[in-house]
Amino acid sequence: MTGRRWRTTVAAALAALLLTLAGCATRLPPTEPLAPDEGQEADALFTTFVTNSVPAAVDADLRLNWDFLGRKGGVAAVLQLQRPALLRFAANDPLGRPLVLAVSDGATFTLVDNRQGRAYRGSTDSKFWHSYVPDAVAAEDLFALLGGTAPEGTGRVIASARDKEGTGFWYVLDAQGGATRHLLLDRRSGTLRRHLLVDDGTPVLDVVYSGTAGADRAGSRWPRELRVTGSAVSGTLTVHIDTVYGETPLPAATFHLAVPPHFTVEPVE
């Protein structure tokens, strides 16, 4: 694969991981009111979900596949996340060499493009960052969205309902900037099956979870596969977790990048 083609592939992969672009809208799923005897069951299920053990971090190999506006592609990558908002992402070439690396502490980020010999630094409040990450998605949302866990600071339930099939319960929660979250919990397992971030009645992100990958001693699990659509994604992104290496805190150096001295560093706003 040519260098130019790989640069395009890796840029798309990073954008995909950060849940980018603007595109097609999806509809809110149909629901049914809870029966009188289901309210207590739904409340108990949600309380268990929120209080379940959540991994401190995840260190995993994954595969990203995307279909954006008819353009399909995929790339192998390494993802390291640590609560509440630490991120390290590396997209690799077929030989396993990192082509693009990105780290963030939740407030700032550094992105290094090894092919171009350039690095970009800025704030997660910057226009550059939000050209990749929708305004409605806070940095601390990434762990919950990718891990299928309760979002940081999950508050009261605004409303609850049953899905049309009767196999799960939907919960509506407040989110930042006037948005709302819609979480679908499996009625039997209590696991998260779907997470919608809704702004002005439109699903900005629609994440569907399936399978499990890895479990720590406390029994926490990471989703095996995520399928992402919504108005913030101009198509479909699939994240497949190949291997989970650990779910314990990572060394602080993991989330810092030393930019090679000969690279051009560009501050972005």
Side-chain angles (χ1 to χ4, degrees), residues 1-16 21 66 68 71-75 91-92 99-100 113 115-116 132:
M1 185 176 290
T2 66
R4 178 178 297 177
R5 185 177 175 186
W6 260 106
R7 284 195 293 272
T8 302
T9 298
V10 171
L14 182 60
L21 305 178
W66 59 86
F68 292 155
R71 295 185 178 183
K72 298 182 179 181
V75 69
N92 301 321
L99 298 177
V100 167
D113 187 333
R115 289 284 185 167
Q116 294 183 347
Y132 290 97

Side-chain angles (χ1 to χ4, degrees), residues 50-88:
V50 172
T51 57
N52 272 343
S53 172
V54 176
V58 67
D59 181 359
D61 286 344
L62 55 85
R63 177 78 184 177
L64 297 177
N65 293 291
W66 59 86
D67 184 352
F68 292 155
L69 301 175
R71 295 185 178 183
K72 298 182 179 181
V75 69
V78 177
L79 174 67
Q80 293 163 307
L81 288 173
Q82 185 162 302
R83 292 191 290 137
L86 298 179
L87 163 74
R88 182 185 180 97

Side-chain angles (χ1 to χ4, degrees), residues 188-254:
R188 295 184 62 184
S189 67
T191 57
L192 186 63
R193 286 166 41 191
R194 198 168 171 187
H195 185 156
L196 286 87
L197 186 61
V198 178
D199 192 10
D200 196 23
T202 299
V204 177
L205 291 175
D206 184 353
V207 186
V208 177
Y209 305 91
S210 60
T212 57
D216 66 11
R217 293 181 180 178
S220 63
R221 293 185 177 276
W222 196 262
R224 173 66 70 183
E225 190 165 282
L226 296 77
R227 181 179 179 272
V228 184
T229 56
S231 66
V233 182
S234 61
T236 302
L237 163 70
T238 303
V239 181
H240 182 85
I241 304 294
D242 292 325
T243 305
V244 175
Y245 295 104
E247 296 180 334
T248 56
L250 297 161
T254 303

Side-chain angles (χ1 to χ4, degrees), residues 24-267:
C24 304
T26 56
R27 296 180 179 178
L28 288 174
T31 60
E32 295 180 345
L34 296 178
D37 61 345
E38 290 179 322
Q40 188 172 357
E41 179 189 354
D43 290 344
L45 191 71
F46 184 77
T47 298
T48 300
F49 172 69
V50 172
T51 57
N52 272 343
S53 172
V54 176
V58 67
D59 181 359
D61 286 344
L62 55 85
R63 177 78 184 177
L64 297 177
N65 293 291
W66 59 86
D67 184 352
F68 292 155
L69 301 175
R71 295 185 178 183
K72 298 182 179 181
V75 69
V78 177
L79 174 67
Q80 293 163 307
L81 288 173
Q82 185 162 302
R83 292 191 290 137
L86 298 179
L87 163 74
R88 182 185 180 97
F89 170 76
N92 301 321
D93 69 11
L95 298 179
R97 297 171 299 190
L99 298 177
V100 167
L101 294 92
V103 298
S104 173
D105 62 5
T108 62
F109 71 90
T110 300
L111 186 152
V112 174
D113 187 333
N114 287 325
R115 289 284 185 167
Q116 294 183 347
R118 299 183 69 86
Y120 304 89
R121 283 179 172 158
S123 164
T124 54
D125 290 329
S126 66
K127 292 181 180 180
F128 184 94
W129 176 266
H130 285 299
S131 69
Y132 290 97
V133 181
D135 291 345
V137 178
E140 58 268 22
D141 286 337
L142 292 176
F143 194 98
L145 284 167
L146 294 171
T149 64
E152 291 286 328
T154 294
R156 68 179 183 87
V157 175
I158 299 173
S160 56
R162 185 178 64 244
D163 69 346
K164 292 288 287 185
E165 295 74 24
T167 59
F169 293 124
W170 279 103
Y171 304 88
V172 181
L173 313 172
D174 280 323
Q176 69 172 18
T180 56
R181 301 181 188 280
H182 297 238
L183 306 181
L184 175 63
L185 298 184
D186 186 274
R187 196 169 182 173
R188 295 184 62 184
S189 67
T191 57
L192 186 63
R193 286 166 41 191
R194 198 168 171 187
H195 185 156
L196 286 87
L197 186 61
V198 178
D199 192 10
D200 196 23
T202 299
V204 177
L205 291 175
D206 184 353
V207 186
V208 177
Y209 305 91
S210 60
T212 57
D216 66 11
R217 293 181 180 178
S220 63
R221 293 185 177 276
W222 196 262
R224 173 66 70 183
E225 190 165 282
L226 296 77
R227 181 179 179 272
V228 184
T229 56
S231 66
V233 182
S234 61
T236 302
L237 163 70
T238 303
V239 181
H240 182 85
I241 304 294
D242 292 325
T243 305
V244 175
Y245 295 104
E247 296 180 334
T248 56
L250 297 161
T254 303
F255 304 101
H256 294 278
L257 281 182
V259 179
H262 60 284
F263 275 38
T264 301
V265 179
E266 180 180 341

